[in-house]
Amino acid sequence: MKILHTSDWHVGKVLKGRSRAEEHKSVLAGVIDIARAEQPDLVIVAGDLYDTAAPTPEATRLVTRALTALRRIGADVVAIGGNHDNGAALDALRPWAEAAGVTLRGSVRENPDEHVIDGTTAGGERWRLAALPFLSQRYAVRAVEMYELTAAEANQTYADHLRRVLGRLTESFTEPDRVHLVTAHLTVTGAAAGGGERDAHTVLGYAVPATVFPATAHYVALGHLHRAQRIDGPCPVRYCGSPLAVDFGEQENVPSVTIVEVTADTAARVREVPVTAAAALRTVRGTLAQLAELEQPDAWLRVYVREQPRAGLREEVQELLPRALEIRIDPELVPAPGSGARVAQRSGRSPRELFGDYLSSRGHADDGVQELFDELLEEVDH
């Protein structure tokens, strides 16, 4: 059977105030084109369909249309909720999904059998997929209790709970003539972050070892980390990455989807197919003169300006580089704390003097800013 593995669409993403709706339309159209060309038997969307738990109607329309289009090419489609998604809201879409032929699992349900999905390809290959949406630490404990595995003890770790839940969902992975699959949205210990993930859900407390997955699985399709990568484990474990760079920390990633070919008695063969529809993200550095010499790139820019701060500097950079979304003074030019800059003493000093000390400590020598502060202070005083 052939599988198309994608995740972390983050539809609705706003980058430094800039909507990426048009890029998302092009990116998902590209994913659908790849599916038409590859003709997979199964499409797995491993979480974070949306960028926010309260998606706009436009974002919801785009995601549901994309899932419907993937289903119409003839593939089975399974999508799970990620940490950015509202699991309950995704589950509320299940009547639509079932009518469209899409399997949607937004959050963990009380009946574990709802997370074990069976299918058969047109060629007769039988498959079974254990689908585990994102679990917070609190709900991981609840899931263990719901599935009546063992009592959830206070000192057990998140990884302990995930191991038990996955063990329950994959306990039927014993038939020799069936392809056994897992999809989940989580962080595996030792995996490389893509650069734009939500820190609270990638820190060590949320990381689990690859040994939580059973050796009987033919392929584990993961979402959450935005860089495509293979993980060493007891079975083939892989993040497919995001099909577009979500933030500037991901500018070195290569957006793609993963194509997997596997049978019940042969190992999974994996390849990446690039998705090139979104604008690239780039970081540039330089003085105003150096920035003026740059060719206008077809990319969104983060600009580190090698100039002393002054009023109007941002506007000058924006005029030179209209696609600059983030403009900052180069961190190398900002004095480090305790580097010898005079520290303001509050006692007996006027607000004007204190503000002047602050400007000096930040390497800011623009008289215009000091004059503006004086005007605002005078308005407040009167």
Side-chain angles (χ1 to χ4, degrees), residues 17-344:
R18 169 79 61 168
S19 170
R20 306 190 74 188
E22 292 304 316
E23 288 179 85
H24 265 116
K25 289 177 184 176
S26 298
V27 165
L28 293 183
V31 173
I32 293 163
D33 286 343
I34 293 170
R36 286 199 188 99
E38 294 286 347
Q39 289 294 302
D41 301 291
L42 172 64
V43 175
I44 298 174
V45 188
D48 280 356
L49 287 79
Y50 300 106
D51 190 61
T52 172
T56 64
E58 179 185 20
T60 301
R61 188 180 307 113
L62 182 54
V63 165
T64 53
R65 286 180 175 177
L67 293 174
T68 301
L70 289 168
R71 177 70 183 112
R72 284 177 177 168
I73 68 167
D76 286 305
V77 178
V78 178
I80 62 172
N83 61 305
H84 281 253
D85 298 316
N86 183 325
L90 283 181
D91 283 333
L93 289 173
R94 282 180 62 170
W96 160 81
E98 289 167 5
V102 173
T103 302
L104 191 57
R105 297 292 182 266
S107 56
V108 174
R109 314 291 286 186
E110 291 189 11
N111 181 1
D113 293 338
E114 286 197 47
H115 297 277
V116 181
I117 301 146
D118 289 338
T120 304
T121 70
E125 188 78 65
R126 296 193 306 149
W127 55 269
R128 173 165 291 165
L129 171 65
L132 181 64
F134 175 75
L135 273 174
S136 68
Q137 289 186 341
R138 179 178 61 173
Y139 284 99
V141 174
R142 281 191 56 196
V144 169
E145 293 170 340
M146 285 192 303
Y147 293 174
E148 298 178 349
L149 301 168
T150 62
E153 298 175 9
N155 63 345
Q156 287 181 319
T157 67
Y158 180 74
D160 291 329
H161 299 315
L162 264 291
R163 187 188 305 276
R164 287 176 170 81
V165 171
L166 283 164
R168 173 64 179 83
L169 297 183
T170 61
E171 64 186 10
S172 65
F173 280 18
T174 56
E175 300 178 46
D177 59 345
R178 190 190 295 267
V179 176
H180 298 126
L181 307 166
V182 176
T183 184
H185 193 89
L186 46 74
T187 303
V188 175
T189 305
E197 300 87 352
R198 185 172 290 168
D199 289 342
H201 294 147
T202 55
V203 293
L204 213 53
Y206 267 95
V208 302
T211 52
V212 300
F213 304 114
T216 50
H218 289 81
Y219 181 75
V220 176
L222 296 181
H224 190 34
L225 300 186
H226 297 173
R227 180 178 299 174
Q229 58 194 295
R230 180 183 65 85
I231 306 299
D232 290 332
C235 56
V237 180
R238 185 173 180 82
Y239 288 98
C240 61
S242 177
L244 81 168
V246 173
D247 212 331
F248 284 104
E250 303 181 9
Q251 60 187 14
E252 301 302 324
N253 296 351
V254 179
S256 63
V257 299
T258 296
I259 300 295
V260 184
E261 295 180 74
V262 63
T263 72
D265 54 7
T266 59
R269 291 177 295 157
V270 175
R271 54 190 167 88
E272 295 177 19
V273 179
V275 180
T276 59
L281 304 183
R282 286 182 52 194
T283 298
V284 296
R285 284 179 160 87
T287 63
L288 281 176
Q290 291 168 331
L291 296 174
E293 295 298 318
L294 291 177
E295 292 186 17
Q296 293 293 332
D298 185 20
W300 300 119
L301 300 178
R302 175 173 60 183
V303 183
Y304 288 141
V305 191
R306 301 190 64 84
E307 303 271 355
Q308 291 301 317
R310 64 174 183 275
L313 181 59
R314 172 181 293 275
E315 289 73 15
E316 292 179 59
V317 174
Q318 196 78 62
E319 186 174 347
L320 290 174
L321 300 170
R323 291 180 67 85
L325 298 185
E326 181 179 347
I327 300 169
R328 300 171 57 187
I329 300 300
D330 194 319
E332 295 177 4
L333 297 184
V334 178
S339 60
R342 184 160 59 96
V343 177

